[in-house]
């Protein structure tokens, strides 16, 4: 038996909640990402980070509706997000760390959660592309991937502001790929 709405509008949390498609899962993930972003924003005291998150939050809802509705993430949005990510990356003093263990307090851990959710959003896009007839605008996975990097850099800035140590994580599972050095050592001025 397939689950379906009862017909009572008060018992329906989302119009597409019973849909048998990864599309609804994508929309729920982006809703969760926007919520965690708002939660972190409510606790951030760094004014530049606050303003950046305030500009970003509506774009996450634009991302949310960009498959079922018309695309709301444009090339300019991708470029602005990448530029902001590199802007904040320049503020990190110990840029040589490749990966750090996700630590911090308050908004930092919430932004780490946003980083992880951004990757889940990309994976949801992969499933939508594979399992449906929907065309995925190329800006969507680029924006979602950039979100993961952006949130990571914000955690580094905020932990630095609060003098919280971030132990570097070194994997014993994989050799160090070349792209990591390129990413770690690239600044906005080199793009």
């Amino acid at each position: 038996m397939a689950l379906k709405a009862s017909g009572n509008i008060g018992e329906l949390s989302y119009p597409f909640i019973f849909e048998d498609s990864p599309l609804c899962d994508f929309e729920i993930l982006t809703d969760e990402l926007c919520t965690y972003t708002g939660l972190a924003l409510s606790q951030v005291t760094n004014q530049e980070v606050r303003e950046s998150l305030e500009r970003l939050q509506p774009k996450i809802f634009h991302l949310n509706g960009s498959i079922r509705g018309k695309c709301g993430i444009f090339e300019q949005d991708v470029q602005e997000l990448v530029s902001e990510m590199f802007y904040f990356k320049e503020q990190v003093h110990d840029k040589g760390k490749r990966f750090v263990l996700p630590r911090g307090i308050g908004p930092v851990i919430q932004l780490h959660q946003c980083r992880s959710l951004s990757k889940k959003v990309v994976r949801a896009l992969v499933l939508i592309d594979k399992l449906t007839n929907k065309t995925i605008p190329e800006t969507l996975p680029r924006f979602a991937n950039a979100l993961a990097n952006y949130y990571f850099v914000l955690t580094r800035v905020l932990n630095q502001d609060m003098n919280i140590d971030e132990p570097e994580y070194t994997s014993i599972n994989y050799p160090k790929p070349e792209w990591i050095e390129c990413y770690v050592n690239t600044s906005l001025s080199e793009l």
Side-chain angles (χ1 to χ4, degrees):
M1 174 176 108
L3 295 177
K4 62 181 183 174
S6 69
N8 182 340
I9 193 69
E11 297 173 5
L12 188 63
S13 63
Y14 188 58
F16 309 106
I17 200 73
F18 292 106
E19 183 178 84
D20 184 17
S21 160
L23 197 55
C24 185
D25 299 321
F26 166 80
E27 292 162 341
I28 291 170
L29 279 172
T30 52
D31 180 58
E32 185 176 5
L33 179 59
C34 195
T35 300
Y36 271 104
T37 300
L39 180 60
L41 176 57
S42 73
Q43 299 177 51
V44 169
T45 58
N46 178 311
Q47 191 59 35
E48 284 187 309
V49 172
R50 282 189 62 75
E51 291 171 3
S52 180
L53 288 169
E54 286 171 352
R55 287 188 298 274
L56 174 66
Q57 198 177 25
K59 292 179 184 181
I60 297 170
F61 271 162
H62 297 332
L63 174 65
N64 175 287
S66 286
I67 297 176
R68 196 181 301 273
K70 70 177 189 172
C71 182
I73 297 296
F74 307 99
E75 182 64 30
Q76 179 179 342
D77 297 315
V78 176
Q79 293 307 314
E80 286 172 359
L81 182 59
V82 169
S83 291
E84 289 207 23
M85 185 267 298
F86 277 114
Y87 171 78
F88 286 112
K89 185 178 178 206
E90 288 297 316
Q91 295 179 23
V92 176
H93 300 305
D94 62 346
K95 295 177 187 71
K97 290 184 178 179
R98 290 171 195 74
F99 297 105
V100 296
L101 295 171
R103 294 188 183 172
I105 59 173
V108 174
I109 291 302
Q110 291 149 2
L111 291 171
H112 273 300
Q113 181 67 33
C114 291
R115 174 187 53 78
S116 182
L117 283 169
S118 297
K119 293 176 186 178
K120 288 181 180 181
V121 168
V122 175
R123 292 298 300 156
L125 288 169
V126 169
L127 285 177
I128 292 167
D129 184 57
K130 181 178 180 175
L131 301 175
T132 72
N133 295 338
K134 294 284 185 182
T135 300
I136 308 295
E138 59 95 15
T139 53
L140 303 188
R142 291 173 54 219
F143 186 79
N145 272 293
L147 276 173
N149 295 332
Y150 166 85
Y151 286 122
F152 175 74
V153 170
L154 290 187
T155 67
R156 302 286 327 273
V157 169
L158 295 178
N159 273 339
Q160 180 177 280
D161 287 353
M162 294 182 280
N163 294 314
I164 293 175
D165 183 44
E166 296 176 305
E168 184 171 12
Y169 169 74
T170 304
S171 175
I172 62 171
N173 309 102
Y174 306 104
K176 182 174 67 172
E178 291 179 23
W179 67 265
I180 290 176
E181 283 304 319
C182 177
Y183 173 75
V184 168
N185 296 316
T186 302
S187 67
L188 181 59
S189 62
E190 296 173 308
L191 292 178

